[in-house]
Amino acid sequence: MKDDIYLNKLGKKIVDLRTKKEISQNQLAKNIGSTNTHMRRIERGEVSCTINMLRKIAEVLEISISELVDIS
């Protein structure tokens, strides 16, 4: 698979998990020390994340990093 397909799948997973937890995009961005614009781009699959950012996102969503990146 191409990288952009993985980024899109990851972005959609973050959106799904975030909405299930009733966390706004702005709240998630703030809690991970990012901006709403950057979070939006991650969720759209436009940019990749560092491992530290993935760790922070997983922490806020109360899941493990492995659960977060399990997008096969």
Side-chain angles (χ1 to χ4, degrees):
M1 284 187 164
K2 292 185 176 183
D3 290 344
D4 57 338
I5 293 172
Y6 285 113
L7 293 177
N8 284 328
K9 284 185 173 187
L10 177 62
K12 287 178 184 178
K13 186 164 189 176
I14 292 170
V15 171
D16 288 343
L17 293 167
R18 177 177 59 74
T19 54
K20 285 178 184 172
K21 293 275 186 181
E22 297 182 353
I23 299 171
S24 72
Q25 190 179 68
N26 194 45
Q27 287 173 311
L28 179 56
K30 183 178 178 181
N31 287 334
I32 66 168
S34 187
T35 65
N36 193 44
T37 301
H38 191 239
M39 194 70 242
R40 186 178 320 115
R41 293 189 70 211
I42 291 169
E43 290 185 350
R44 289 182 182 166
E46 296 173 356
V47 296
S48 60
C49 298
T50 65
I51 190 70
N52 285 328
M53 185 164 287
L54 290 172
R55 179 188 54 79
K56 290 176 186 179
I57 292 169
E59 202 171 89
V60 171
L61 297 175
E62 299 175 319
I63 60 171
S64 68
I65 294 175
S66 60
E67 288 176 275
L68 181 62
V69 297
D70 184 14
I71 53 174
S72 55

